[in-house]
Amino acid sequence: MRRLRNVKIVATLGPASDTYEMIRSLTEAGANVFRLNMSHGEHGEIRERHAMIRKVEKDLGRPIAILADLQGPKLRVGKFAEDSYDLEVGAKFRLDLDDADGDMTRVQLPHPEIFAALEVGSNLLVNDGKIRLQVEDCGKDFANCVVTVGGTISNRKGVNVPDVVLPLAALSEKDLKDLEFVCDLGVDWLALSFVQRPEDVIQARELAKGRAFVLSKIEKPSAVKDFDEILKVSDGIMVARGDLGVELPVHAVPPIQKRLVRKCRAAAKPVIVATQMLESMIESPMPTRAEVSDVATAIYEGADAIMLSAESAAGDFPIEAVTTMNNVAIEVENDPVYRDVMDASRAGRKETIADAIVSAAREIAETTDVKAIVCYSESGTTAALTARERPHVPIVAMTSRPGTARKLCLYWGMHCVVTGEVGRFKTAVVNAARAARTCGFATEADNIVVTAGVPFNVPGSTNILRVAPCDERLIFNTDPE
């Protein structure tokens, strides 16, 4: 029987992966979701990449999800009179609103919102945390600081403020334009940067108006603190370890990653582990052993997806990077310890009929010789609940909605099939058996579990579980209309 890996691979597109041939090769190597980074590229380029993905999807005959990653507000210092200056530990350094060129004693920080939120003792991190400043005195238009970690400062370097919640919306003016553009274009997921509070996510959802699902990037300490509330209003989560590792001690990131992955699984919402997973493969055809271990750890934790950034967008070996992730995933998921971990970490309260049905489907699959669970899911909710169970057998999601099929490409273990609308349960079982056979998960001699809802094509109506043969003659002879 055919057995594909369960964890999904998200590949970022960029200059190194900007052709139909490369996107198709990445898909065939194992990419399930393509990320469009709105920090780079004009709308025309984004439109072309979107069209190429959809052509690959059509030519290969399987759904592909598209994730548009919004840039978020970028906080940066101004310009300097010289190219750069070295700041030594203990030196005084001032940030202010004056647009005059900076020097080794001061520079512009053109963000009055930051000054409004700062307090004495607050820390500012410059250039990905390579320079650390501590506030000694501040006002509405300045902050006098002492250098606690020295380094070289230069034009337009980024600034992080980990200690305070900034009075800034997660969506900048650029983000608002980009959001409308990609929603009209037809992306499936929106990744929201700079999330600090649940209200940031609610705003994005209201603007998306159901045209795309909203995934919150967890990259700030305030988002970690309010994660439970953010998760409630999000359709999915990305553990963005890059900025998270700048604003928090790096040793705090691994346990945070583990906690967030578990909470997402309990909530039946997909979680991506991202940033620097195979960083060395930007320039090398082989990863480091530490990188392979990092990818494996995310898979063992039960992440729905793992992500490539510069490795596939700008690296020299994008196909090799996807292939490496694919191979690591297959190896991990064939390890008996992986199945032990998935079973031991199963969580989530059973509160609805759908909860009970998907749980029963998984238990039947574990105790009998069932080859696959086939679930009819119009909105994707029942399929998501099935993925939360982390069953031992493949999950086939049947839906009449292409948008739902694409959305589900981000979920663990999901194999999506777009089918016509069905009106009779017998027809649904026949279609499920055909899908299981076509996907290579079963033969006519095998059985499958089918979950569905009557009446059909109504989201949230899952109320039937059927153990069915894959031999259509037996279905016609035994199943009710």
Side-chain angles (χ1 to χ4, degrees):
M1 289 297 98
R2 181 181 181 221
R3 188 71 170 97
L4 301 183
R5 61 177 161 75
N6 293 304
V7 71
K8 300 306 178 75
I9 295 175
V10 181
T12 303
L13 297 185
S17 47
D18 215 14
T19 65
Y20 169 88
E21 292 74 19
M22 179 58 77
I23 295 172
R24 178 165 180 153
S25 295
L26 293 173
T27 305
E28 292 172 334
N32 308 100
V33 181
F34 286 106
R35 171 176 172 256
L36 305 177
N37 187 353
M38 303 308 293
S39 297
H40 306 287
E42 301 297 325
H43 283 185
E45 296 174 74
I46 299 298
R47 187 186 301 276
E48 289 176 5
R49 290 171 186 165
H50 181 277
M52 287 187 284
I53 296 168
R54 289 292 179 240
K55 186 175 190 311
V56 170
E57 177 184 66
K58 181 179 179 182
D59 292 347
L60 293 181
R62 65 183 191 227
I64 299 173
I66 301 178
L67 167 69
D69 195 334
L70 302 176
Q71 176 177 282
K74 291 299 180 184
L75 309 178
R76 301 182 185 278
V77 298
K79 295 179 63 177
F80 289 87
E82 303 292 339
D83 289 340
S84 62
Y85 294 92
D86 291 328
L87 301 184
E88 297 183 357
V89 174
K92 305 296 183 182
F93 195 77
R94 179 182 174 93
L95 300 166
D96 55 42
L97 295 177
D98 187 349
D99 62 3
D101 287 349
D103 55 30
M104 64 186 308
T105 64
R106 62 154 297 278
V107 73
Q108 181 192 27
L109 181 62
H111 303 286
E113 303 92 342
I114 293 181
F115 296 118
L118 288 178
E119 300 174 351
V120 173
S122 296
N123 291 291
L124 296 101
L125 312 178
V126 184
N127 193 14
D128 290 334
K130 294 182 177 65
I131 298 171
R132 183 180 290 264
L133 308 174
Q134 188 172 69
V135 177
E136 293 188 322
D137 182 30
C138 57
K140 64 180 182 179
D141 57 0
F142 77 95
N144 293 326
C145 307
V146 62
V147 180
T148 56
V149 176
T152 301
I153 192 168
S154 57
N155 295 337
R156 307 291 298 161
K157 290 301 180 185
V159 178
N160 294 80
V161 190
D163 299 327
V164 296
V165 176
L166 297 175
L168 285 170
L171 294 167
S172 65
E173 287 299 318
K174 169 180 165 54
D175 295 324
L176 293 172
K177 295 176 183 177
D178 287 346
L179 184 151
E180 195 62 30
F181 169 71
V182 296
C183 283
D184 283 346
L185 194 59
V187 303
D188 308 295
W189 288 88
L190 286 171
L192 185 61
S193 301
F194 207 82
V195 174
Q196 297 186 98
R197 54 184 83 81
E199 291 77 12
D200 295 331
V201 188
I202 293 170
Q203 180 194 14
R205 290 175 67 96
E206 290 174 348
L207 292 170
K209 298 175 183 175
R211 292 172 293 174
F213 299 93
V214 177
L215 182 147
S216 297
K217 293 169 67 175
I218 306 302
E219 52 192 352
K220 297 191 70 62
S222 55
V224 175
K225 180 181 177 183
D226 289 339
F227 181 74
D228 290 349
E229 295 305 311
I230 289 171
L231 179 60
K232 287 179 184 178
V233 296
S234 302
D235 296 305
I237 295 293
M238 181 190 295
V239 185
R241 304 177 305 173
D243 280 323
L244 204 55
V246 171
E247 300 213 2
L248 288 167
V250 290
H251 54 266
V253 175
I256 289 172
Q257 172 180 315
K258 188 176 292 290
R259 291 200 306 273
L260 269 51
V261 168
R262 286 213 173 187
K263 288 185 176 185
C264 289
R265 181 179 166 192
K269 294 184 178 181
V271 55
I272 304 170
V273 175
T275 319
Q276 298 177 329
M277 300 211 82
L278 295 175
E279 186 85 353
S280 70
M281 292 194 75
I282 295 173
E283 299 175 343
S284 168
M286 292 291 292
T288 68
R289 288 157 183 79
E291 288 168 340
V292 170
S293 181
D294 181 42
V295 171
T297 295
I299 298 169
Y300 275 115
E301 289 170 350
D304 290 82
I306 46 183
M307 192 174 99
L308 296 167
S309 297
E311 301 97 328
S312 59
D316 295 331
F317 304 97
I319 296 174
E320 290 83 352
V322 172
T323 301
T324 296
M325 274 193 163
N326 182 69
N327 291 341
V328 172
I330 291 172
E331 191 71 24
V332 168
E333 292 177 2
N334 282 325
D335 178 8
V337 173
Y338 172 75
R339 177 44 56 189
D340 291 343
V341 172
M342 291 301 98
D343 292 346
S345 60
R346 189 171 289 118
R349 295 175 59 188
K350 307 300 186 288
E351 299 177 337
T352 67
I353 293 173
D355 286 333
I357 285 178
V358 299
S359 179
R362 188 259 308 161
E363 290 186 15
I364 291 169
E366 289 178 2
T367 55
T368 65
D369 192 24
V370 163
K371 299 301 182 183
I373 297 172
V374 183
C375 55
Y376 280 83
S377 190
E378 285 302 290
S379 66
T381 300
T382 302
L385 293 174
T386 307
R388 179 178 69 183
E389 292 292 312
R390 300 295 193 259
H392 293 216
V393 299
I395 306 167
V396 181
M398 306 279 287
T399 179
S400 64
R401 301 180 181 182
T404 296
R406 290 166 177 160
K407 168 196 175 183
L408 291 172
C409 289
L410 190 57
Y411 284 77
W412 183 97
M414 202 65 60
H415 308 286
C416 305
V417 176
V418 179
T419 183
E421 291 189 359
V422 294
R424 298 191 307 160
F425 185 68
K426 182 177 287 188
T427 304
V429 176
V430 169
N431 288 349
R434 288 175 181 171
R437 297 198 310 268
T438 301
C439 288
F441 299 137
T443 69
E444 280 195 345
D446 295 319
N447 290 330
I448 58 173
V449 173
V450 182
T451 63
V454 176
F456 281 100
N457 308 311
V458 177
S461 65
T462 297
N463 53 17
I464 294 179
L465 183 153
R466 165 80 163 97
V467 179
C470 284
D471 187 332
E472 293 180 29
R473 292 166 298 183
L474 296 177
I475 296 173
F476 281 112
N477 289 336
T478 60
D479 274 49
E481 291 296 322

